[in-house]
PDB file of all heavy atoms in Angstrom:
ATOM      1  N   GLY B 410       3.721  11.628 -13.240  1.00  0.00           N
ATOM      2  CA  GLY B 410       4.417  12.622 -14.068  1.00  0.00           C
ATOM      3  C   GLY B 410       5.616  12.114 -14.832  1.00  0.00           C
ATOM      4  O   GLY B 410       5.867  10.875 -14.903  1.00  0.00           O
ATOM      5  N   ASP B 411       6.319  13.037 -15.442  1.00  0.00           N
ATOM      6  CA  ASP B 411       7.443  12.818 -16.312  1.00  0.00           C
ATOM      7  C   ASP B 411       8.501  11.891 -15.679  1.00  0.00           C
ATOM      8  O   ASP B 411       9.079  12.194 -14.653  1.00  0.00           O
ATOM      9  CB  ASP B 411       8.080  14.195 -16.631  1.00  0.00           C
ATOM     10  CG  ASP B 411       9.272  14.099 -17.522  1.00  0.00           C
ATOM     11  OD1 ASP B 411       9.379  13.167 -18.292  1.00  0.00           O
ATOM     12  OD2 ASP B 411      10.120  15.031 -17.438  1.00  0.00           O
ATOM     13  N   LEU B 412       8.720  10.740 -16.322  1.00  0.00           N
ATOM     14  CA  LEU B 412       9.708   9.779 -15.832  1.00  0.00           C
ATOM     15  C   LEU B 412      10.799   9.637 -16.886  1.00  0.00           C
ATOM     16  O   LEU B 412      10.486   9.418 -18.062  1.00  0.00           O
ATOM     17  CB  LEU B 412       9.012   8.430 -15.602  1.00  0.00           C
ATOM     18  CG  LEU B 412       9.884   7.197 -15.372  1.00  0.00           C
ATOM     19  CD1 LEU B 412      10.694   7.288 -14.093  1.00  0.00           C
ATOM     20  CD2 LEU B 412       9.011   5.970 -15.341  1.00  0.00           C
ATOM     21  N   VAL B 413      12.061   9.790 -16.496  1.00  0.00           N
ATOM     22  CA  VAL B 413      13.151   9.787 -17.459  1.00  0.00           C
ATOM     23  C   VAL B 413      14.148   8.681 -17.109  1.00  0.00           C
ATOM     24  O   VAL B 413      14.613   8.596 -15.970  1.00  0.00           O
ATOM     25  CB  VAL B 413      13.916  11.138 -17.436  1.00  0.00           C
ATOM     26  CG1 VAL B 413      14.849  11.203 -18.643  1.00  0.00           C
ATOM     27  CG2 VAL B 413      12.950  12.327 -17.442  1.00  0.00           C
ATOM     28  N   TYR B 414      14.495   7.866 -18.101  1.00  0.00           N
ATOM     29  CA  TYR B 414      15.571   6.892 -17.949  1.00  0.00           C
ATOM     30  C   TYR B 414      16.684   7.229 -18.907  1.00  0.00           C
ATOM     31  O   TYR B 414      16.427   7.610 -20.045  1.00  0.00           O
ATOM     32  CB  TYR B 414      15.051   5.465 -18.252  1.00  0.00           C
ATOM     33  CG  TYR B 414      14.557   4.724 -17.037  1.00  0.00           C
ATOM     34  CD1 TYR B 414      13.285   4.974 -16.527  1.00  0.00           C
ATOM     35  CD2 TYR B 414      15.350   3.806 -16.362  1.00  0.00           C
ATOM     36  CE1 TYR B 414      12.801   4.324 -15.422  1.00  0.00           C
ATOM     37  CE2 TYR B 414      14.860   3.150 -15.227  1.00  0.00           C
ATOM     38  CZ  TYR B 414      13.604   3.408 -14.768  1.00  0.00           C
ATOM     39  OH  TYR B 414      13.139   2.730 -13.680  1.00  0.00           O
ATOM     40  N   ASP B 415      17.892   7.041 -18.450  1.00  0.00           N
ATOM     41  CA  ASP B 415      19.076   7.230 -19.274  1.00  0.00           C
ATOM     42  C   ASP B 415      19.854   5.936 -19.140  1.00  0.00           C
ATOM     43  O   ASP B 415      20.334   5.583 -18.051  1.00  0.00           O
ATOM     44  CB  ASP B 415      19.841   8.445 -18.738  1.00  0.00           C
ATOM     45  CG  ASP B 415      21.250   8.579 -19.354  1.00  0.00           C
ATOM     46  OD1 ASP B 415      21.582   7.798 -20.274  1.00  0.00           O
ATOM     47  OD2 ASP B 415      21.994   9.464 -18.904  1.00  0.00           O
ATOM     48  N   VAL B 416      19.970   5.192 -20.243  1.00  0.00           N
ATOM     49  CA  VAL B 416      20.542   3.833 -20.167  1.00  0.00           C
ATOM     50  C   VAL B 416      21.656   3.659 -21.198  1.00  0.00           C
ATOM     51  O   VAL B 416      21.497   4.082 -22.347  1.00  0.00           O
ATOM     52  CB  VAL B 416      19.435   2.759 -20.414  1.00  0.00           C
ATOM     53  CG1 VAL B 416      20.011   1.378 -20.340  1.00  0.00           C
ATOM     54  CG2 VAL B 416      18.318   2.921 -19.399  1.00  0.00           C
ATOM     55  N   ARG B 417      22.745   3.080 -20.779  1.00  0.00           N
ATOM     56  CA  ARG B 417      23.807   2.692 -21.725  1.00  0.00           C
ATOM     57  C   ARG B 417      23.787   1.182 -21.863  1.00  0.00           C
ATOM     58  O   ARG B 417      23.742   0.477 -20.852  1.00  0.00           O
ATOM     59  CB  ARG B 417      25.170   3.103 -21.139  1.00  0.00           C
ATOM     60  CG  ARG B 417      25.655   4.478 -21.573  1.00  0.00           C
ATOM     61  CD  ARG B 417      26.972   4.764 -20.937  1.00  0.00           C
ATOM     62  NE  ARG B 417      26.723   5.671 -19.828  1.00  0.00           N
ATOM     63  CZ  ARG B 417      27.335   6.882 -19.715  1.00  0.00           C
ATOM     64  NH1 ARG B 417      28.203   7.251 -20.626  1.00  0.00           N
ATOM     65  NH2 ARG B 417      27.068   7.683 -18.721  1.00  0.00           N
ATOM     66  N   VAL B 418      23.859   0.720 -23.106  1.00  0.00           N
ATOM     67  CA  VAL B 418      23.787  -0.711 -23.371  1.00  0.00           C
ATOM     68  C   VAL B 418      24.951  -1.143 -24.254  1.00  0.00           C
ATOM     69  O   VAL B 418      25.233  -0.461 -25.251  1.00  0.00           O
ATOM     70  CB  VAL B 418      22.481  -1.097 -24.057  1.00  0.00           C
ATOM     71  CG1 VAL B 418      22.348  -2.602 -24.173  1.00  0.00           C
ATOM     72  CG2 VAL B 418      21.262  -0.542 -23.305  1.00  0.00           C
ATOM     73  N   THR B 419      25.626  -2.201 -23.848  1.00  0.00           N
ATOM     74  CA  THR B 419      26.654  -2.800 -24.708  1.00  0.00           C
ATOM     75  C   THR B 419      26.384  -4.277 -24.842  1.00  0.00           C
ATOM     76  O   THR B 419      26.229  -4.968 -23.795  1.00  0.00           O
ATOM     77  CB  THR B 419      28.049  -2.597 -24.135  1.00  0.00           C
ATOM     78  OG1 THR B 419      28.218  -1.206 -23.847  1.00  0.00           O
ATOM     79  CG2 THR B 419      29.131  -3.022 -25.110  1.00  0.00           C
ATOM     80  N   ALA B 420      26.376  -4.770 -26.055  1.00  0.00           N
ATOM     81  CA  ALA B 420      26.168  -6.206 -26.322  1.00  0.00           C
ATOM     82  C   ALA B 420      24.962  -6.753 -25.543  1.00  0.00           C
ATOM     83  O   ALA B 420      25.028  -7.820 -24.913  1.00  0.00           O
ATOM     84  CB  ALA B 420      27.433  -7.010 -25.958  1.00  0.00           C
ATOM     85  N   GLY B 421      23.863  -6.013 -25.544  1.00  0.00           N
ATOM     86  CA  GLY B 421      22.645  -6.479 -24.919  1.00  0.00           C
ATOM     87  C   GLY B 421      22.621  -6.389 -23.425  1.00  0.00           C
ATOM     88  O   GLY B 421      21.687  -6.761 -22.753  1.00  0.00           O
ATOM     89  N   LYS B 422      23.742  -5.895 -22.831  1.00  0.00           N
ATOM     90  CA  LYS B 422      23.770  -5.773 -21.388  1.00  0.00           C
ATOM     91  C   LYS B 422      23.851  -4.314 -20.943  1.00  0.00           C
ATOM     92  O   LYS B 422      24.444  -3.465 -21.606  1.00  0.00           O
ATOM     93  CB  LYS B 422      25.036  -6.502 -20.840  1.00  0.00           C
ATOM     94  CG  LYS B 422      24.884  -8.009 -20.950  1.00  0.00           C
ATOM     95  CD  LYS B 422      26.027  -8.715 -20.282  1.00  0.00           C
ATOM     96  CE  LYS B 422      25.794 -10.220 -20.336  1.00  0.00           C
ATOM     97  NZ  LYS B 422      27.000 -10.965 -20.099  1.00  0.00           N
ATOM     98  N   VAL B 423      23.236  -4.044 -19.780  1.00  0.00           N
ATOM     99  CA  VAL B 423      23.168  -2.683 -19.273  1.00  0.00           C
ATOM    100  C   VAL B 423      24.552  -2.289 -18.705  1.00  0.00           C
ATOM    101  O   VAL B 423      25.131  -3.017 -17.889  1.00  0.00           O
ATOM    102  CB  VAL B 423      22.121  -2.562 -18.153  1.00  0.00           C
ATOM    103  CG1 VAL B 423      22.118  -1.160 -17.573  1.00  0.00           C
ATOM    104  CG2 VAL B 423      20.735  -2.902 -18.733  1.00  0.00           C
ATOM    105  N   ASP B 424      25.046  -1.172 -19.206  1.00  0.00           N
ATOM    106  CA  ASP B 424      26.343  -0.632 -18.728  1.00  0.00           C
ATOM    107  C   ASP B 424      26.144   0.359 -17.594  1.00  0.00           C
ATOM    108  O   ASP B 424      26.936   0.415 -16.639  1.00  0.00           O
ATOM    109  CB  ASP B 424      27.014   0.166 -19.851  1.00  0.00           C
ATOM    110  CG  ASP B 424      27.932  -0.715 -20.681  1.00  0.00           C
ATOM    111  OD1 ASP B 424      28.218  -1.833 -20.212  1.00  0.00           O
ATOM    112  OD2 ASP B 424      28.340  -0.266 -21.723  1.00  0.00           O
ATOM    113  N   ALA B 425      25.148   1.189 -17.734  1.00  0.00           N
ATOM    114  CA  ALA B 425      24.874   2.212 -16.729  1.00  0.00           C
ATOM    115  C   ALA B 425      23.416   2.609 -16.820  1.00  0.00           C
ATOM    116  O   ALA B 425      22.809   2.548 -17.894  1.00  0.00           O
ATOM    117  CB  ALA B 425      25.761   3.430 -16.975  1.00  0.00           C
ATOM    118  N   LEU B 426      22.864   2.988 -15.677  1.00  0.00           N
ATOM    119  CA  LEU B 426      21.485   3.384 -15.660  1.00  0.00           C
ATOM    120  C   LEU B 426      21.274   4.533 -14.692  1.00  0.00           C
ATOM    121  O   LEU B 426      21.807   4.516 -13.580  1.00  0.00           O
ATOM    122  CB  LEU B 426      20.587   2.189 -15.258  1.00  0.00           C
ATOM    123  CG  LEU B 426      19.085   2.412 -15.130  1.00  0.00           C
ATOM    124  CD1 LEU B 426      18.345   1.133 -15.493  1.00  0.00           C
ATOM    125  CD2 LEU B 426      18.649   2.828 -13.737  1.00  0.00           C
ATOM    126  N   GLN B 427      20.593   5.579 -15.171  1.00  0.00           N
ATOM    127  CA  GLN B 427      20.204   6.693 -14.305  1.00  0.00           C
ATOM    128  C   GLN B 427      18.753   6.929 -14.523  1.00  0.00           C
ATOM    129  O   GLN B 427      18.244   6.687 -15.599  1.00  0.00           O
ATOM    130  CB  GLN B 427      20.984   7.971 -14.645  1.00  0.00           C
ATOM    131  CG  GLN B 427      22.466   7.871 -14.477  1.00  0.00           C
ATOM    132  CD  GLN B 427      22.868   7.866 -13.001  1.00  0.00           C
ATOM    133  OE1 GLN B 427      22.085   8.109 -12.121  1.00  0.00           O
ATOM    134  NE2 GLN B 427      24.134   7.563 -12.793  1.00  0.00           N
ATOM    135  N   LEU B 428      18.060   7.430 -13.513  1.00  0.00           N
ATOM    136  CA  LEU B 428      16.686   7.800 -13.747  1.00  0.00           C
ATOM    137  C   LEU B 428      16.321   9.048 -12.951  1.00  0.00           C
ATOM    138  O   LEU B 428      16.997   9.349 -11.935  1.00  0.00           O
ATOM    139  CB  LEU B 428      15.709   6.695 -13.446  1.00  0.00           C
ATOM    140  CG  LEU B 428      15.379   6.414 -11.986  1.00  0.00           C
ATOM    141  CD1 LEU B 428      13.987   5.891 -11.830  1.00  0.00           C
ATOM    142  CD2 LEU B 428      16.376   5.424 -11.407  1.00  0.00           C
ATOM    143  N   ARG B 429      15.319   9.761 -13.395  1.00  0.00           N
ATOM    144  CA  ARG B 429      14.728  10.836 -12.626  1.00  0.00           C
ATOM    145  C   ARG B 429      13.226  10.517 -12.571  1.00  0.00           C
ATOM    146  O   ARG B 429      12.553  10.539 -13.560  1.00  0.00           O
ATOM    147  CB  ARG B 429      14.980  12.162 -13.312  1.00  0.00           C
ATOM    148  CG  ARG B 429      14.940  13.409 -12.411  1.00  0.00           C
ATOM    149  CD  ARG B 429      13.585  13.730 -11.793  1.00  0.00           C
ATOM    150  NE  ARG B 429      12.464  13.445 -12.677  1.00  0.00           N
ATOM    151  CZ  ARG B 429      11.969  14.284 -13.552  1.00  0.00           C
ATOM    152  NH1 ARG B 429      12.515  15.487 -13.676  1.00  0.00           N
ATOM    153  NH2 ARG B 429      10.977  13.954 -14.339  1.00  0.00           N
ATOM    154  N   SER B 430      12.787  10.142 -11.367  1.00  0.00           N
ATOM    155  CA  SER B 430      11.390   9.761 -11.223  1.00  0.00           C
ATOM    156  C   SER B 430      10.509  10.953 -10.947  1.00  0.00           C
ATOM    157  O   SER B 430      10.968  11.968 -10.452  1.00  0.00           O
ATOM    158  CB  SER B 430      11.269   8.744 -10.049  1.00  0.00           C
ATOM    159  OG  SER B 430      11.548   9.419  -8.841  1.00  0.00           O
ATOM    160  N   PRO B 431       9.232  10.851 -11.226  1.00  0.00           N
ATOM    161  CA  PRO B 431       8.280  11.949 -10.937  1.00  0.00           C
ATOM    162  C   PRO B 431       8.256  12.248  -9.405  1.00  0.00           C
ATOM    163  O   PRO B 431       8.137  13.423  -9.041  1.00  0.00           O
ATOM    164  CB  PRO B 431       6.931  11.451 -11.434  1.00  0.00           C
ATOM    165  CG  PRO B 431       7.111  10.068 -11.876  1.00  0.00           C
ATOM    166  CD  PRO B 431       8.569   9.756 -11.982  1.00  0.00           C
TER     167      PRO B 431
END
Side-chain angles (χ1 to χ4, degrees):
Chain B
D411 179 27
L412 167 66
V413 192
Y414 268 81
D415 169 5
V416 180
R417 268 178 257 237
V418 186
T419 308
K422 289 187 176 163
V423 176
D424 268 348
L426 178 147
Q427 297 289 349
L428 77 149
R429 204 294 324 273
S430 68

